[in-house]
Amino acid sequence: MCTVVLLRRPGHAWPAIIAANRDEAVNRPWRPPARHWPDRPGVLAGLDEEAGGSWMGLNEAGVMAAILNRRGSLGPATGKRTRGALVLEALDHDTAGAAAAAMAQVDGSAYRSFNMLIADREDAFWIRHAGGRGVSAQPVGAGLSMLTAWDLNDRINSDRTDCYLPRFEAARPPDPHAPDGWTDWETLLASEETAPGVLDPNGAMHVRTDWGFGTVSRALLALPADGNTAPVWRFASTWPETGGYVELH
């Protein structure tokens, strides 16, 4: 169960800030975000070496996309396309709105269920596919939002959202170019704490289990309002090798 957190601040110098933890089977091979696709030279994204798609990426137009499994849909299924291909297809578009509209036209029956977040400096959208053929695209409003394997900001079903959405809301917002500007969000992404009484490790932000599943990487991304300013994308591997954040270009 991955997590994506979005802070939308229309009118701010950094109107969209995203944090993401990728939870996956630890033996599934992957490569850190880079320009892995010769036919998409403007796309910077992580590579799922098993299926060829991605879990999160950014294009040169400033559109980002991240995909998450919905509850009970971990892993591939016979006869279904890899959901990671949708990240690359979304990043073929120059605006979040155009990407979201394209995703809403996808035949959901070709994929296992998923959630997706698409954002740029102007807009953000939650793409929801809960089964069947239907795929919907819903705008994400200003403020702090959190997406897991359940619906957006679902504090009833998601122990993680219930525990951590208020914590992100209370945290100091990132300052992308300050020396310690990401400290509060870095701390939250690394937290293995669950709410009182919650024993499921999936209730934590950083998941650690003894059955071959856990948080394998973290990402922090800031999209600027100024089209001449470069986005800030910081990435850290947490499994199988643990390292500090590196800035991607």
Side-chain angles (χ1 to χ4, degrees):
M1 181 173 67
C2 301
T3 306
V4 178
V5 177
L6 169 66
L7 175 60
R8 283 201 68 227
R9 301 181 292 183
H12 194 278
W14 296 93
I17 298 182
I18 298 100
N21 272 4
R22 182 183 182 223
D23 304 335
E24 185 54 85
V26 298
N27 62 354
R28 184 165 181 147
W30 59 276
R31 293 169 64 187
R35 300 183 190 278
H36 295 293
W37 295 271
D39 60 334
R40 289 180 168 97
V43 169
L44 182 65
L47 173 62
D48 172 17
E49 292 187 290
E50 183 172 300
S54 183
W55 63 92
M56 180 175 175
L58 175 72
N59 68 19
E60 290 185 341
V63 178
M64 69 76 58
I67 199 160
L68 309 82
N69 301 329
R70 282 186 68 91
R71 188 73 171 176
S73 69
L74 179 67
T78 302
K80 302 289 187 181
R81 290 188 68 204
T82 175
R83 290 163 287 195
L86 294 173
V87 171
L88 302 180
E89 293 173 16
L91 297 177
D92 286 337
H93 299 273
D94 290 337
T95 68
M103 293 300 101
Q105 298 302 312
V106 165
D107 178 3
S109 64
Y111 303 89
R112 300 196 77 184
S113 61
F114 63 83
N115 284 321
M116 193 174 194
L117 179 75
I118 299 173
D120 61 16
R121 62 186 181 184
E122 299 287 345
D123 298 294
F125 298 89
W126 166 37
I127 314 301
R128 180 181 186 270
H129 169 44
R133 296 179 60 90
V135 177
S136 64
Q138 303 177 35
V140 179
L144 201 291
S145 295
M146 187 169 176
L147 188 60
T148 65
W150 302 95
D151 285 353
L152 187 73
N153 298 330
D154 186 347
R155 296 186 61 179
I156 295 175
N157 293 299
S158 173
D159 290 330
R160 186 181 301 172
T161 301
D162 188 45
C163 181
Y164 282 95
L165 180 59
R167 299 186 185 193
F168 274 95
E169 290 173 332
R172 181 176 51 146
D175 183 348
H177 288 314
D180 63 346
W182 295 92
T183 300
D184 284 15
W185 280 33
E186 286 181 359
T187 300
L188 286 169
L189 286 183
S191 176
E192 297 182 20
E193 183 181 354
T194 60
V198 174
L199 302 180
D200 183 353
N202 283 302
M205 280 296 300
H206 181 94
V207 178
R208 190 187 304 271
T209 74
D210 57 4
W211 59 81
F213 180 83
T215 300
V216 298
S217 66
R218 303 186 188 116
L220 293 161
L221 173 63
L223 303 180
D226 179 1
N228 295 317
T229 300
V232 175
W233 187 354
R234 303 171 70 244
F235 179 83
S237 172
T238 60
W239 183 274
E241 298 175 356
T242 300
Y245 283 92
V246 297
E247 194 160 321
L248 304 176
H249 301 281

